[in-house]
Amino acid sequence: MCLGVPMTVVEGDEFSALCARGDEKRRVSLLLVGPQAVGTKVLVHIDSAIRVLEEEEAAQLDRALDGLAAALRGENFEEAFADLIESGPRLPAHLR
């Protein structure tokens, strides 16, 4: 299984950008999203930026990935998913 991860553009040009998440940095393609300004959050999947993210969505994804890592280490992870736990199960709008 492959996961997309939120990353921040550190530097870039018309076709690619150096992006960072924590200590990790990687060069990613911008062909699907176009040139992006430094500081822009993008969803990176297989070294390609596939979507520009809003700050809050990027933060939610970061929390979820941190929670997943904590669960894999056998640590408490519930706080990473507080927004889901508090709201309970919900059907997507198109299924209601």
Side-chain angles (χ1 to χ4, degrees):
M1 174 173 71
C2 296
L3 293 174
V5 295
M7 299 188 86
T8 304
V9 174
V10 175
E11 64 181 47
D13 57 35
E14 189 175 347
F15 303 108
S16 68
L18 182 64
C19 293
R21 180 174 189 269
D23 295 335
E24 179 185 4
K25 289 185 179 176
R26 68 169 79 165
R27 175 78 43 193
V28 303
S29 169
L30 296 176
L31 293 177
L32 296 174
V33 296
Q36 298 298 319
V38 170
T40 301
K41 304 284 187 185
V42 292
L43 185 62
V44 177
H45 182 69
I46 312 176
D47 291 334
S48 291
I50 60 171
R51 187 162 58 90
V52 175
L53 298 171
E54 297 294 327
E55 287 287 332
E56 180 55 31
E57 185 180 17
Q60 285 179 325
L61 291 169
D62 276 329
R63 284 191 300 273
L65 291 171
D66 291 344
L68 178 59
L72 290 171
R73 291 189 303 267
E75 299 170 359
N76 183 15
F77 59 90
E78 285 82 4
E79 70 274 357
F81 300 101
D83 58 325
L84 296 175
I85 293 169
E86 291 169 6
S87 68
R90 290 178 297 184
L91 286 173
H94 69 281
L95 295 177
R96 288 185 211 144

